[in-house]
Amino acid sequence: MHPEPTPATPQAEDVADLGRRVLDSVRTAVVGMDDPLTIALAAVLAGGHVLFEDVPGLGKTLAARSLATALGLDFRRLQCTPDMLPGDVTGSYVYAPDTGEFRFRPGPIFTGLLLADEINRTTPKTQSAMLEAMAERQVTVEGTRFPLPAPFHVIATSNPIEYEGTYALPEAQLDRFMVRLSVGYPTADGETQIILDRLRRQSPDAVVAQVLDADGLLHVQRAVETIHVDADIARYCTDLARATRTAQHVAVGASPRGSQALVLLGRAFAALDGRAYVRPDDIKHLAVPVLAHRLTLTPQAWAQGVDPAAVVSAAVSQVPVPPTVAQPR
């Protein structure tokens, strides 16, 4: 018996077509989030994790669940609470009476896409239990390493306006998210459409069609790895990250992980646009969601209400843009 031939790596046009189908499927349940959803999908295609941060009731959880369904990933939801323990995330050893031994029982983090809902409601100790998983695709329990399945992604939601019973994410945790997105309130037409769609369905549940599966997503992620990045684009991302380190009001700027995330997300964003190369405009569009959450402002800036997004936007306006990038031959 001959093995099945390995399917050809998709081209940028194929990735763009799959991306359109995934987003069209998600839009059957989610209204008015086109740009955040596109960036969130690009982050997943780039192998990253996504943080949705906004006020309650805007559909962040629905967007995450719909994206998981369209991508065909195993999905687990973790409703974060103050009494949650690290073992509730990673899993723990439990006693098995039949053998008299302790067996490892995997936690909800062993999945394709983990939705950590209201992640800032759980304690720093439990938040840190996700750090190793997000960075290294593994968890360590009592000295034993357990690899996570591939693909593995975390989409977390956070409520930035409540302080009672919440724990701000530490910088190390924020840095693990490739992007932080704010969906914002829908337009009047969009909000009306949400209501009409709910009335039409006669059910609170929206049906999202599956477009890919786990193997298909891995295949698309490999295609994204082939997108061309000019050396000038890589230097542009470096210059943007470095500009945040010397900016006014900033105590700690974006790390090298931030400039690398900018390049990786730029590749996925270009592929979703049907291009095999990254343009400076891609980087400019993605700079705020990639870099803003990685900045630590000075106490004076925090007291004055300085917005990290404004700091990044100022850096984008000041850093020289590289010349037009030619298509790779």
Side-chain angles (χ1 to χ4, degrees):
M1 180 181 295
H2 297 287
E4 294 184 4
T6 302
T9 301
Q11 301 298 310
E13 297 82 0
D14 302 321
V15 175
D17 179 63
L18 287 170
R20 279 192 294 269
R21 289 165 54 196
V22 168
L23 291 173
D24 286 344
S25 179
V26 173
R27 288 189 191 107
T28 61
V30 180
V31 176
M33 296 188 193
D34 287 355
D35 191 54
L37 282 175
T38 301
I39 296 176
L41 175 59
V44 172
L45 297 186
H49 311 289
V50 180
L51 175 63
F52 281 107
E53 186 175 271
D54 219 320
V55 299
L58 299 183
K60 303 184 297 294
T61 301
L62 176 62
R65 186 169 63 243
S66 300
L67 194 58
T69 302
L71 293 173
L73 297 177
D74 290 335
F75 176 77
R76 301 288 292 276
R77 175 177 174 173
L78 194 65
Q79 187 64 49
C80 297
T81 57
D83 60 349
M84 183 178 292
L85 299 174
D88 297 329
V89 179
T90 62
S92 59
Y93 283 92
V94 296
Y95 180 71
D98 56 337
T99 62
E101 298 177 346
F102 284 88
R103 295 176 182 170
F104 179 69
R105 177 177 294 173
I109 206 166
F110 286 84
T111 188
L113 193 149
L114 175 70
L115 170 59
D117 214 0
E118 295 189 290
I119 191 173
N120 61 330
R121 287 203 175 278
T122 194
T123 61
K125 185 176 182 179
T126 304
Q127 292 173 4
S128 65
M130 301 184 192
L131 285 178
E132 181 184 13
M134 294 172 67
E136 303 175 34
R137 270 41 177 201
Q138 67 176 33
V139 297
T140 302
V141 180
E142 297 186 14
T144 303
R145 172 185 175 273
F146 297 94
L148 294 172
F152 168 75
H153 299 277
V154 173
I155 295 182
T157 68
S158 177
N159 179 355
I161 64 171
E162 291 189 34
Y163 296 98
E164 186 175 351
T166 64
Y167 304 85
L169 291 173
E171 286 75 8
Q173 180 92 4
L174 284 171
D175 204 34
R176 295 310 198 273
F177 288 100
M178 181 171 280
V179 292
R180 181 179 64 182
L181 301 171
S182 175
V183 299
Y185 286 104
T187 63
D189 289 341
E191 192 166 351
T192 303
Q193 188 62 47
I194 292 172
I195 297 172
L196 294 176
D197 287 347
R198 170 62 180 86
L199 297 176
R200 175 182 51 79
R201 289 196 306 268
Q202 299 183 357
S203 168
D205 300 320
V207 178
V208 176
Q210 179 180 335
V211 177
L212 288 170
D213 57 17
D215 290 337
L217 176 58
L218 289 173
H219 206 50
V220 174
Q221 289 175 336
R222 285 193 290 269
V224 170
E225 291 286 345
T226 67
I227 299 299
H228 173 74
V229 179
D230 194 86
D232 285 345
I233 293 292
R235 182 54 187 262
Y236 181 48
C237 295
T238 300
D239 290 343
L240 285 174
R242 290 174 63 86
T244 67
R245 300 168 198 167
T246 57
Q248 186 182 13
H249 305 304
V250 175
V252 181
S255 69
R257 185 184 282 124
S259 55
Q260 178 173 273
L262 203 48
V263 172
L264 299 180
L265 187 62
R267 290 193 309 189
F269 196 75
L272 288 176
D273 195 41
R275 285 180 283 109
Y277 61 97
V278 181
R279 298 186 308 201
D281 284 348
D282 299 327
I283 305 303
K284 293 169 70 174
H285 183 74
L286 299 170
V288 169
V290 171
L291 298 179
H293 65 287
R294 304 174 193 271
L295 307 186
T296 301
L297 301 183
T298 62
Q300 296 83 356
W302 180 83
Q304 295 170 8
V306 175
D307 186 0
V311 176
V312 175
S313 296
V316 171
S317 65
Q318 295 167 6
V319 173
V321 180
T324 303
V325 179
Q327 299 186 31
R329 296 182 179 179

